[in-house]
Amino acid sequence: MNPPRNLHPAAKEPTWINYWGWGSGDMLGAGAQAVITGWLFYFFTTFCGLSAVDAGLILGLPRLLEAITCPLIGYVSDNLRHTWVGRKIGRRKLFLLITIPLLPSFALIFRTGHTFTYYLLAFIFFELLYTMFLIPWETLAAEMTKDYKAKAKFAGARMIVAQSSAILASYLPTLLISQFGGKDSPDTFFWMAAIFGCIFSVVVTIVVLTTWERPYGTREQAVMSQTYGGFNLKAALLIPVKMFRDLFSTLKIRAFRQHLSIYLGGYLSQDIFNSAFAFFVATVLMGATLVISQLMTVMYVAQLISVMVAIQIVIRTGPVLAYRLAGSLFAAALLLYLGFYLARPEGFAESFNALGTNLFGALNPASPGFSLSLVFWIFVPIVLAGLGRGTLNFVPWSVYNYLPDVDEAVTGQRREGIFAGVMTLVRKLAQSAAIMASGWIIDLGGYVKTKPGEVVVQTPEAIQTVTLLMVGGPLLMLLLGALASWKFRLNASTHAVLVHEVERLRNGATEAESDENRRIVEDLTGWPYDRLWGRGSGHADSSLQPLQARP
């Protein structure tokens, strides 16, 4: 029996509807993380009676389970093209459709009065849904176009949505506080999560309706014609072996190894900052939930502006310059916060308290206690942090869209799913370690957990620990990322050469068109040209092995 034909749309050019439709998915991708990293640690320790160590474990342990789920979802979504359901519904969209009715469960995490086990299981369930959406969704931009500028536009639309969702995550508590019991009410966070949960379901629906999957290539169609038979138990049992083989094979790509270092440097610096920032505001700046919310809003607005600028820098010059500028701005913000802690500017506390519940009143020269020093210390560090963080978020996911092209040169395959799986796996394992370590360090420093409305004077040692963690940890990660970026060569011109050489390899070429082309492709892949296209990688046919038996 022959498989049905014309199951996928022909290759076409994306429009603004596709850019923003796909990009809207980061309302879940980044929106959930903005709530989790910005508020959940604080919520657990302030409203749920959990210690910093307990909160760190809840946020960290589920990520360890994803050592299996991330690569598995990536591998299965790549290979669902060999199954009836993958051909009928879509190898990526099947996962997206499953998550739509379940995403409002996000609100269940933000309920008080439960045990450590309840919060752990609720968070594990949501993280599974999050991963089921994130990995297939991330592949779609790389599948819908091969053009460098179009891929940058996809990444830009994604990050603009991401920063907008982060602004919403930071400012929603301010909007909800007056409606649900004041600044010390946990209901603020429950309703915030409930609103986000409903938004998540809507945006995933939009993604399904405005995206398409990559049409099958000639080699894939040949395999499909041979795999239309029954289920093969042996092939199914070998899935874990093939999955982990593909997982580790991605690390043979030089550009991907460099990219992971850049990615982790930018994101881990923010994870550590996020874990400690609320505590820093509460102890050093002496602000409560409302103050934290307003400062985070300022930061995320600056991140949105940063992404808009970074899109143009990446398109014109490549990602490295943008990454280094971003790291410098974020580092400057961290050093200013350290300076504030060491100097404790005279009169700041009195002027700060005179502002009441509206930090933006500091910008009014007629307000009580107005001073340029107050304006500087409230807004300059947080704006610099936002300008740096926005670009640090944008650059790695902009680069990801090009990595399957580099991999195709080596293997002769398209493996968007496994690359998204590896990136998400590495990210979550590293994030897990960073959050758990941050919680352990804060607890070790003597930080005393508080209850809603309770005033606890933290010891100087506890405050010092929080400050050094918030400043020193991110600076170290930024330094590592900057070192990794030094030899990263993927940009608009080298990508154009790579795509050209991939087309030549697809047509049977065994030598580069020029010495310069060969040097560029070998630098990006880390492989000699005569071993490209599966001739030396040992993976020429690995992702094309069927999940179903040959007749």
Side-chain angles (χ1 to χ4, degrees):
M1 179 179 179
N2 294 321
R5 299 187 179 188
N6 300 320
L7 291 170
H8 293 268
K12 53 185 177 181
E13 292 298 319
T15 67
W16 67 269
I17 294 176
N18 307 118
Y19 292 132
W20 291 105
W22 177 82
S24 70
D26 224 13
M27 182 65 74
L28 168 55
Q33 289 305 306
V35 175
I36 290 168
T37 59
W39 292 114
L40 197 52
F41 199 101
Y42 180 75
F43 176 80
F44 283 153
T45 56
T46 304
F47 298 102
C48 302
L50 298 176
S51 68
V53 171
D54 288 340
L57 287 173
I58 292 171
L59 292 173
L61 288 176
R63 272 60 186 252
L64 301 179
L65 297 177
E66 288 163 353
I68 298 295
T69 58
C70 287
L72 180 61
I73 290 172
Y75 179 87
V76 171
S77 70
D78 275 345
N79 286 277
L80 273 177
R81 62 183 179 272
H82 302 308
T83 67
W84 176 87
V85 69
R87 291 191 282 260
K88 191 72 175 178
I89 299 176
R91 59 193 184 279
R92 316 297 186 192
K93 292 187 177 182
L94 175 65
F95 289 94
L96 273 56
L97 291 170
I98 291 172
T99 65
I100 291 174
L102 300 174
L103 287 168
S105 64
F106 186 52
L108 297 178
I109 304 172
F110 290 87
R111 299 299 293 168
T112 57
H114 295 287
T115 64
F116 172 90
T117 303
Y118 169 87
Y119 293 118
L120 179 62
L121 293 177
F123 190 57
I124 287 174
F125 179 72
F126 179 76
E127 280 291 300
L128 178 60
L129 292 179
Y130 178 78
T131 304
M132 287 178 63
F133 162 79
L134 191 67
I135 293 174
W137 169 73
E138 285 169 345
T139 68
L140 291 172
E143 292 200 5
M144 286 193 285
T145 183
K146 291 184 178 181
D147 182 71
Y148 182 90
K149 290 184 178 180
K151 289 185 177 186
K153 290 177 182 178
F154 272 116
R158 167 188 184 162
M159 282 300 153
I160 289 174
V161 171
Q163 302 311 319
S164 300
S165 66
I167 293 171
L168 183 61
S170 64
Y171 197 64
L172 258 183
T174 299
L175 297 177
L176 297 174
I177 275 171
S178 61
Q179 302 294 324
F180 299 104
K183 65 181 180 180
D184 294 319
S185 172
D187 288 342
T188 296
F189 298 94
F190 171 76
W191 287 108
M192 174 180 64
I195 291 170
F196 265 103
C198 294
I199 292 174
F200 294 160
S201 292
V202 171
V203 299
V204 176
T205 303
I206 293 172
V207 170
V208 170
L209 295 175
T210 58
T211 60
W212 64 86
E213 298 179 8
R214 174 176 52 82
Y216 295 140
T218 304
R219 296 176 67 188
E220 292 171 311
Q221 290 175 352
V223 172
M224 286 168 57
S225 68
Q226 297 172 342
T227 60
Y228 212 71
F231 179 75
N232 186 325
L233 178 60
K234 181 179 179 181
L237 292 175
L238 286 175
I239 285 177
V241 176
K242 295 177 180 178
M243 178 187 75
F244 281 103
R245 182 184 64 189
D246 280 2
L247 173 71
F248 288 108
S249 73
T250 61
L251 299 179
K252 296 180 179 180
I253 309 298
R254 176 183 290 162
F256 187 59
R257 295 195 303 270
Q258 296 168 336
H259 169 69
L260 284 180
S261 300
I262 294 171
Y263 176 47
L264 291 178
Y267 272 77
L268 286 180
S269 64
Q270 297 180 67
D271 290 333
I272 299 170
F273 179 87
N274 291 340
S275 297
F277 182 66
F279 297 103
F280 179 83
V281 174
T283 57
V284 179
L285 297 180
M286 302 306 292
T289 302
L290 194 62
V291 173
I292 300 168
S293 172
Q294 292 175 2
L295 284 173
M296 289 174 65
T297 301
V298 172
M299 181 174 68
Y300 287 129
V301 169
Q303 288 185 199
L304 177 60
I305 296 170
S306 174
V307 168
M308 293 179 180
V309 175
I311 294 171
Q312 297 304 315
I313 295 176
V314 169
I315 288 176
R316 295 174 187 274
T317 68
V320 173
L321 176 61
Y323 184 85
R324 291 174 183 168
L325 289 173
S328 299
L329 291 171
F330 191 23
L334 295 169
L335 292 174
L336 282 176
Y337 277 127
L338 179 62
F340 178 88
Y341 166 76
L342 295 174
R344 300 296 178 100
E346 184 178 355
F348 177 86
E350 294 77 10
S351 300
F352 187 84
N353 291 330
L355 294 174
T357 59
N358 184 17
L359 286 184
F360 302 104
L363 300 171
N364 180 11
S367 65
F370 171 82
S371 71
L372 292 177
S373 175
L374 181 69
V375 173
F376 177 88
W377 287 113
I378 288 177
F379 293 108
V380 171
I382 203 68
V383 168
L384 286 175
L387 292 175
R389 285 164 53 107
T391 301
L392 288 175
N393 288 334
F394 168 72
V395 167
W397 285 110
S398 169
V399 172
Y400 159 76
N401 289 333
Y402 311 114
L403 293 173
D405 298 331
V406 182
D407 179 63
E408 185 178 10
V410 176
T411 64
Q413 305 167 26
R414 297 294 301 187
R415 301 191 298 170
E416 291 91 348
I418 197 67
F419 273 87
V422 173
M423 279 190 67
T424 304
L425 167 64
V426 171
R427 162 79 179 123
K428 290 191 173 186
L429 289 179
Q431 184 185 49
S432 170
I435 292 174
M436 287 194 292
S438 296
W440 179 77
I441 291 171
I442 291 171
D443 195 66
L444 188 66
Y447 191 90
V448 179
K449 62 184 179 182
T450 62
K451 296 179 180 178
E454 180 183 20
V455 177
V456 174
V457 178
Q458 302 291 344
T459 65
E461 292 77 14
I463 297 173
Q464 181 185 62
T465 299
V466 168
T467 303
L468 293 179
L469 173 67
M470 189 188 80
V471 175
L475 284 176
L476 177 61
M477 294 300 105
L478 289 171
L479 177 61
L480 296 176
L483 292 174
S485 73
W486 203 256
K487 294 185 177 181
F488 192 68
R489 302 286 187 266
L490 184 59
N491 54 43
S493 60
T494 59
H495 179 262
V497 171
L498 176 76
V499 171
H500 175 69
E501 289 298 324
V502 166
E503 288 299 325
R504 295 183 67 253
L505 288 165
R506 184 178 290 113
N507 293 325
T510 58
E511 295 182 1
E513 189 173 64
S514 67
D515 287 341
E516 178 65 12
N517 283 14
R518 178 186 56 76
R519 185 190 63 78
I520 289 172
V521 173
E522 289 183 349
D523 180 68
L524 292 176
T525 63
W527 287 80
Y529 198 95
D530 60 4
R531 297 183 66 194
L532 298 179
W533 207 248
R535 291 189 289 264
S537 68
H539 288 274
D541 297 314
S542 63
S543 75
L544 296 177
Q545 295 300 317
L547 294 181
Q548 295 178 311
R550 301 190 177 194

